[in-house]
Amino acid sequence: MPKNFVQKILEEHLVEGKLVPGEEIGLRIDQTLTQDATGTMAYLQFEAMGIPRVRTKLSVSYVDHNMLQTGFESADDHRYLQSVAAKYGIFFSRPGNGICHQVHLERFGQPGATLLGSDSHTPTSGGMGSLAIGAGGLDVAVAMAGGAFYMTVPKVLGVELRGRLQPWVTAKDIILELLRRLTVKGGVGKLVEYFGEGVGQLSVPERATITNMGAEFGATTSIFPSDDRTHEFLLAQGREECWKPLGPEPGATYDEVQVIDLDKLEPLIAQPQSPDNVVPVQKVKGLKVAQVAVGSCTNSSFHDLMTVAAILRGCIVHPDVSMVVTPGSRQVFAMISRAGGLSDLIAAGARILESACGPCIGMGQVPATGTVSVRSFNRNFPGRSGAVNDKVYLASPETAAACALKGEITDPRELGEYPVIGWPVKFLVDDRLILPPPASAAGAEIQRGPNIKPLPLAKPLPEKLQGKTLIKLGDNISTDAILPAGSKILPLRSNIPLISDFVFSQIDPSFVERAKKAGGGFIVGGNNYGQGSSREHAALAPMYLGIRAVIAKSFARIHWANLVNFGILPLVFENEVDYVRVNQDDKLEISGLRKAITSGGPLTVKNVNRGFEFPVKHSLSGRQRRVLLAGGLLNFFRQR
Ligand code: MIC
Ligand code: SF4
């Protein structure tokens, strides 16, 4: 049978298991990336493995999240990361060089390679034909140590792009349309491959906007073929030697197919507070806007920012709007400056921020109370902007720029002629902010500031678990809800004892005190528990507070794997009615745990208060069951 592109890359990198949907496989990882907010943990874990040098073909450490440096913590972390990179053979992208995904696409991504990143938007590099997967820091640490990356073989969803995009309709609208169709959980357990005549129309950065935001429907990753457009991009980046033509074999098939008629698409927008709450811009037009933000790893390429600059040229941002722009990388920043786009943005009154994640992760620019913020970003989960009841809308840079000019939600097609920006034949290449690792680690010393606290480890799984249901949650709880980011909490990412005080702080400020008093307990969740970010802190911090099991209707992929890695049992209600029958403060008990986990046998939870029992299941592989018995992946790795 002719193979699709995903099957070809999986086959080439398979080191364990069989390529049968639902089975666990081990993949060889060619490249890794980390960012500072997840990287410190990943490298503490790597250090604990006692391996002298990374064993990947390429590993890069980026600094882009924790940039405000409101205290000493983040600067200390950055120094730690730089010293670790030099010691272990890792490239170090200095603060100011840009957002990890944008820079990786520009300078390191490779068609046909596997990339594992400690950030959920790692699939951005799928835009150039890498199989790029987001994971927890510990999985990335294992990959750096030369270990395989384990995942359940997903189904392959083929997305056929037909026809041509109309003026003012963009790559962002393609991915918003898919989110509308699939919802935030519709891609869980799937790999997405784009094909069809419409693919050739999209440049690599536009493809990257699409693969980036595939994270929002929970897909393991998304990928485009490596074709002439990929060649053109790599050539313009001075990296032509990386290019090879790659794609599906003629006649290849997919487990499922979605067809998108590009001609019929119109500008779309995701309403608060979920990226799948998508409607045509027309439907919400006229709504007053107080803030517009253009940037993030989704939409901050040279082309995106030059288009916004052309829209704003000679105009001024509406008096009631605060507009901010974050260029995706230093390359983009320097190029919009040389091309005059930066002056247009400044003249229009846009506030220019450094090349980093910035407001996307709540590092500044918290919107005013009760106001609408339109952002070219990828996530609008409750509270992510920094305001609990925020009203963040997600749209293309074009729609965002139209809103900035008019002061209300505006269909960009009302602006008249679409400004066509040419693609650069040559990008401005200057890698001096990327420090290659020295040939030898001799003399390299790791610099550890006082914010970097030793990594807590879980204990081996006990025979019996008992405790209270500390919290009962609804569907689609994101890791932003479990452990928020923002300028107050993000600097504590290297300090689990301190950051643990913020678990569920936005939804239930009493949670931590209750968990500490009870010495731990259970979390009960709905569907798609743990969607969004890859931050393993959303597992580590609850583990630190004594949580040893989460019982939910279903889990998001990365968080599910993170729970196992840190010794927390992810259990699934066999019958959804039992979810209704469990309440906060109910005392639960699971006995015969080690035996059941060892044998893979059935598990029953006793609700002591209400006097009934209910069955729970799990889809853990044999390897994951051994990891849990050992009390997490690090304990398991050390035992071996
Ligand atoms: C995000 O977009 O939520 C982040 C911040 O980039 C996270 C990583 C993190 O929490 O550090 C992600 O997407 O994985
Ligand atoms: Fe950074 Fe936002 Fe992208 Fe996460 S989604 S990597 S916070 S820009």
Side-chain angles (χ1 to χ4, degrees):
M1 258 222 329
K3 295 180 189 116
N4 57 49
F5 186 23
V6 164
Q7 286 166 332
K8 283 165 67 180
I9 305 192
L10 288 179
E11 237 166 56
E12 269 166 33
H13 291 84
L14 192 69
V15 290
E16 235 179 280
K18 285 204 187 75
L19 281 174
V20 177
E23 297 266 306
E24 191 182 67
I25 51 165
L27 288 181
R28 179 167 45 78
I29 296 300
D30 300 319
Q31 303 187 340
T32 62
L33 73 76
T34 57
Q35 38 89 341
D36 51 327
T38 54
T40 48
M41 277 298 141
Y43 294 114
L44 284 171
Q45 287 150 357
F46 182 78
E47 281 189 83
M49 290 172 187
I51 301 223
R53 218 166 162 84
V54 290
R55 294 180 177 154
T56 44
K57 288 184 186 152
L58 173 92
S59 288
V60 192
S61 170
Y62 294 92
V63 180
D64 53 3
H65 280 63
N66 250 318
M67 303 288 280
L68 289 183
Q69 300 179 213
T70 42
F72 65 91
E73 293 88 353
S74 305
D76 276 7
D77 284 0
H78 300 171
R79 279 157 62 85
Y80 167 74
L81 292 170
Q82 183 165 346
S83 64
V84 163
K87 175 155 183 197
Y88 292 110
I90 298 158
F91 284 77
F92 182 71
S93 174
R94 294 170 60 189
N97 199 42
I99 305 175
C100 54
H101 309 302
Q102 174 70 24
V103 178
H104 205 84
L105 190 76
E106 290 168 358
R107 306 307 306 145
F108 294 110
Q110 276 211 358
T114 48
L115 165 68
L116 194 71
S118 62
D119 190 284
S120 63
H121 291 103
T122 303
T124 313
S125 286
M128 68 153 55
S130 300
L131 194 81
I133 301 174
L138 184 46
D139 282 334
V140 176
V142 169
M144 289 191 290
F149 170 65
Y150 292 92
M151 66 172 192
T152 314
V153 179
K155 291 191 170 154
V156 186
L157 163 66
V159 178
E160 182 179 357
L161 302 180
R162 286 192 190 152
R164 284 198 78 77
L165 286 171
Q166 296 301 304
W168 296 105
V169 186
T170 68
K172 182 64 156 272
D173 301 302
I174 300 179
I175 191 65
L176 286 174
E177 167 63 12
L178 262 180
L179 263 155
R180 190 187 66 75
R181 293 187 195 178
L182 298 177
T183 79
V184 287
K185 55 179 195 291
V188 177
K190 291 175 194 166
L191 281 160
V192 182
E193 177 171 329
Y194 290 85
F195 70 102
E197 51 163 356
V199 164
Q201 183 199 155
L202 301 171
S203 67
V204 167
E206 290 172 293
R207 295 174 183 184
T209 293
I210 296 174
T211 56
N212 171 284
M213 237 182 134
E216 271 52 73
F217 44 70
T220 304
T221 190
S222 307
I223 194 167
F224 275 82
S226 166
D227 57 9
D228 292 346
R229 298 302 301 268
T230 323
H231 180 239
E232 164 195 297
F233 178 78
L234 282 168
L235 185 69
Q237 288 287 353
R239 300 203 291 124
E240 197 193 3
E241 72 289 350
C242 298
W243 183 73
K244 48 185 176 226
L246 292 169
E249 291 170 4
T253 54
Y254 301 91
D255 298 310
E256 282 166 48
V257 173
Q258 287 277 344
V259 179
I260 301 190
D261 240 317
L262 301 183
D263 296 272
K264 295 205 182 114
L265 272 190
E266 58 177 312
L268 298 172
I269 193 162
Q271 308 175 94
Q273 286 171 313
S274 182
D276 60 359
N277 193 7
V278 174
V279 292
V281 174
Q282 278 292 331
K283 207 174 151 206
V284 283
K285 75 172 196 190
L287 210 63
K288 288 230 32 94
V289 172
Q291 186 190 58
V292 167
V294 176
S296 91
C297 55
T298 316
N299 272 120
S300 57
S301 67
F302 172 76
H303 188 264
D304 284 335
L305 298 200
M306 286 305 288
T307 306
V308 170
I311 295 170
L312 298 185
R313 183 175 305 139
C315 308
I316 193 90
V317 167
H318 189 277
D320 297 335
V321 174
S322 163
M323 181 181 191
V324 293
V325 177
T326 44
S329 67
R330 175 165 163 268
Q331 180 184 76
V332 169
F333 214 155
M335 284 179 69
I336 61 165
S337 160
R338 289 201 185 180
L342 184 59
S343 335
D344 291 333
L345 290 170
I346 295 171
R351 302 163 59 185
I352 313 296
L353 305 179
E354 66 178 317
S355 284
C357 299
C360 179
I361 193 58
M363 295 301 269
Q365 314 306 321
V366 180
T369 313
T371 61
V372 166
S373 173
V374 178
R375 302 176 164 206
S376 73
F377 304 171
N378 47 35
R379 289 184 172 152
N380 57 350
F381 300 139
R384 184 173 164 96
S385 69
V388 180
N389 297 313
D390 51 8
K391 294 188 191 162
V392 175
Y393 288 71
L394 308 171
S396 69
E398 285 81 347
T399 301
C403 299
L405 280 182
K406 303 285 178 192
E408 56 185 42
I409 294 191
T410 305
D411 187 327
R413 291 174 297 187
E414 285 172 24
L415 298 181
E417 206 177 321
Y418 184 64
V420 179
I421 305 293
W423 290 97
V425 188
K426 203 99 214 92
F427 286 96
L428 189 84
V429 175
D430 174 0
D431 288 336
R432 284 175 301 165
L433 280 197
I434 301 174
L435 307 179
S440 131
E445 227 175 87
I446 297 200
Q447 305 191 26
R448 232 178 286 272
N451 186 44
I452 298 186
K453 292 281 179 281
L455 198 75
L457 286 180
K459 298 212 173 61
L461 195 71
E463 196 54 66
K464 183 172 179 177
L465 275 185
Q466 51 187 348
K468 273 188 185 170
T469 305
L470 291 169
I471 192 165
K472 182 178 173 181
L473 302 146
D475 289 344
N476 299 320
I477 290 296
S478 74
T479 48
D480 278 293
I482 303 172
L483 190 63
S487 57
K488 191 166 141 211
I489 309 177
L490 208 55
L492 305 176
R493 284 289 182 92
S494 313
N495 191 331
I496 299 300
L498 270 190
I499 207 170
S500 297
D501 284 341
F502 295 92
V503 175
F504 292 122
S505 57
Q506 284 183 348
I507 28 186
D508 181 353
S510 73
F511 177 85
V512 172
E513 210 193 306
R514 291 188 294 109
K516 282 186 174 167
K517 215 164 141 198
F522 294 85
I523 292 172
V524 169
N527 272 310
N528 200 26
Y529 180 76
Q531 70 161 329
S533 148
S534 69
R535 66 191 69 152
E536 54 195 352
H537 304 74
L540 253 169
M543 182 270 273
Y544 182 78
L545 295 175
I547 309 294
R548 290 308 298 268
V550 179
I551 313 174
K553 290 189 200 167
S554 69
F555 289 89
R557 175 188 64 90
I558 305 180
H559 187 60
W560 174 74
N562 284 341
L563 288 172
V564 175
N565 284 352
F566 294 102
I568 301 181
L569 267 171
L571 299 172
V572 175
F573 287 99
E574 185 95 51
N575 310 305
E576 291 205 359
V577 287
D578 291 327
Y579 166 83
V580 185
R581 301 205 292 162
V582 180
N583 287 312
Q584 184 168 319
D585 292 333
D586 283 0
K587 196 172 165 216
L588 306 181
E589 235 177 64
I590 314 177
S591 314
L593 204 52
R594 287 192 71 86
K595 208 167 129 218
I597 292 293
T598 310
S599 65
L603 276 170
T604 307
V605 182
K606 187 167 166 191
N607 189 327
V608 181
N609 289 72
R610 288 166 208 275
F612 70 93
E613 293 192 345
F614 58 94
V616 287
K617 56 187 177 181
H618 62 74
S619 42
L620 303 164
S621 68
R623 182 193 61 89
Q624 284 178 310
R625 299 206 310 263
R626 289 193 294 280
V627 167
L628 276 166
L629 289 167
L633 185 56
L634 210 52
N635 287 330
F636 177 71
F637 197 88
R638 283 173 159 176
Q639 280 174 10
R640 290 168 99 199

